[in-house]
């Protein structure tokens, strides 16, 4: 990973579902500095929405806690880190499986991590039970001006 | 949500007017369940024309209503699905069981209720 970054921002908010739209729109608007395509922007929005929702419904469950988002812009990519201090994930491999959900009664489909993995270029999940979860995602923004070379 | 019902064809059209995430899915689900139980439609069409964003909450929400409608012996389709929303449905393999249609059919949609 490049270590020369162009820009950084961070954001902290309460784990309320009304903040889901705020979080994804804020990250998308920060990412727009890289001049991404419409598809790249909506991929980022969807992935951020998945991770933030997971922190709210799985991490903190019915409690209110703080969700932190840190974004770093590099020359042609954005790295997004979403952290909660919630209950953590026992088995990360299992959690990543398509269709696996611990909350089928809430009509969750178990597709969140699959979407993050497919819509972004890199996905890393770190979690400690009782301590919290950190999801790091990276999206490469293709430079359309270079694609003809 | 904008609701239209065509009595003749027992066709219920639910036009979603908000982004579909965990926050709004709850509201959409409550209203949709109410309308489905009220009309017991033969056909349900979800109109996505005004949906600019959807995450995995939409998958669970749509599948839940699909179970309900098939229990009543009805069918379900979607229309006017934007590319980014379609991408989420494709990921979950939903379009095989709930296909996207081009038009609602040779019939009028019916009056607003
Ligand atoms: N931040 C988190 N804290 C604790 N557990 C989590 C967290 N994120 C995910 N998980 C666990 O990983 C599982 C899989 O997450 P994923 O997002 O793929 O599916 P889901 O949230 O259950 O359903 P969907 O996202 O499709 O609505 C969850 O059911 C939950 O058990
Ligand atoms: Mg999820």
């Amino acid at each position: 990973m490049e270590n020369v970054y162009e820009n950084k921002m961070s954001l902290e908010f309460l784990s309320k579902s009304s903040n889901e739209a705020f979080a994804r729109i804020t990250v998308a608007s920060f990412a727009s500095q890289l001049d991404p395509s419409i598809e790249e922007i909506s991929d980022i929005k969807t992935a951020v929405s998945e991770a933030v929702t997971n922190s709210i419904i799985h991490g903190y469950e019915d409690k209110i806690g703080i969700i932190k988002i840190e974004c770093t812009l590099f020359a042609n990519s954005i790295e997004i880190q979403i952290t909660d201090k919630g209950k953590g994930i026992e088995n990360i491999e299992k959690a990543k499986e398509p269709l696996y959900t611990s909350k089928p009664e809430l009509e969750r489909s178990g597709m969140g991590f699959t979407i993050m993995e497919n819509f972004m270029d890199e996905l890393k999940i770190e979690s400690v039970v009782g301590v919290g979860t950190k999801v790091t995602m990276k999206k490469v923004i293709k430079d359309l001006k270079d694609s003809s070379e | 949500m904008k609701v239209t019902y065509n009595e003749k064809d027992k066709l219920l059209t639910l036009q979603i007017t908000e982004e579909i995430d965990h926050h709004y899915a709850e509201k959409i689900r409550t209203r949709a369940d109410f309308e489905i139980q009220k009309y017991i439609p033969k056909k349900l069409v979800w109109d996505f024309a005004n949906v600019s964003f959807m995450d995995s909450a939409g998958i669970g929400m749509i599948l839940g209503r699909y179970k309900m409608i098939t229990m009543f012996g009805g069918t379900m389709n979607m229309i006017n699905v934007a590319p980014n929303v379609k991408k989420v449905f494709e990921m979950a393999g939903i379009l095989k069981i709930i296909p996207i249609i081009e038009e609602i059919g040779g019939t009028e949609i019916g009056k607003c209720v």
Side-chain angles (χ1 to χ4, degrees), chain A residues 17-18 20-21 24-25 39 42-43 45-46 49-50 53 56-57 106-109 111-112 114-115 118-119, chain B residues 19-24 29 52-57 59-65 84 87-88 91-92:
Chain A
S17 66
S18 53
E20 289 161 2
R24 64 177 176 262
I25 289 164
E39 184 176 6
S42 52
D43 288 350
K45 269 170 118 176
T46 311
S49 197
E50 294 299 345
T53 304
I56 294 172
I57 62 183
L106 293 185
E107 289 192 344
R108 304 312 303 184
S109 58
M111 291 300 294
T114 308
I115 287 172
N118 280 278
F119 285 28
Chain B
E19 301 198 317
I20 310 176
D21 61 10
H22 159 241
H23 184 69
Y24 291 108
R29 164 184 312 145
S52 55
F53 176 84
M54 186 187 82
D55 66 17
S56 66
I59 302 171
M61 197 275 291
I62 291 290
L63 277 181
R65 311 296 69 71
N84 59 313
K87 195 168 168 181
V88 173
M91 200 91 265

Side-chain angles (χ1 to χ4, degrees), chain A residues 20-35:
Chain A
E20 289 161 2
F22 162 74
R24 64 177 176 262
I25 289 164
T26 305
V27 174
S29 108
F30 187 66
S32 70
Q33 295 181 18
L34 293 177
D35 210 6

Side-chain angles (χ1 to χ4, degrees), chain B residues 16 18 38 64 72 81 83-84:
Chain B
I16 305 174
E18 43 278 285
K38 177 169 161 194
F72 293 137
V81 184
N84 59 313

Side-chain angles (χ1 to χ4, degrees), chain A residues 112-128:
Chain A
F113 281 136
T114 308
I115 287 172
M116 288 181 244
E117 201 156 34
N118 280 278
F119 285 28
M120 302 296 273
D121 293 294
E122 281 171 32
L123 169 69
K124 190 169 85 188
I125 305 160
E126 294 159 279
S127 191
V128 178

Side-chain angles (χ1 to χ4, degrees), chain A residues 74-92:
Chain A
F74 297 95
N76 67 345
S77 67
I78 178 168
E79 190 183 279
I80 305 162
Q81 232 169 48
I82 300 175
T83 314
D84 66 63
K85 292 191 160 64
K87 72 171 199 180
I89 305 174
E90 230 164 83
N91 185 338
I92 294 176

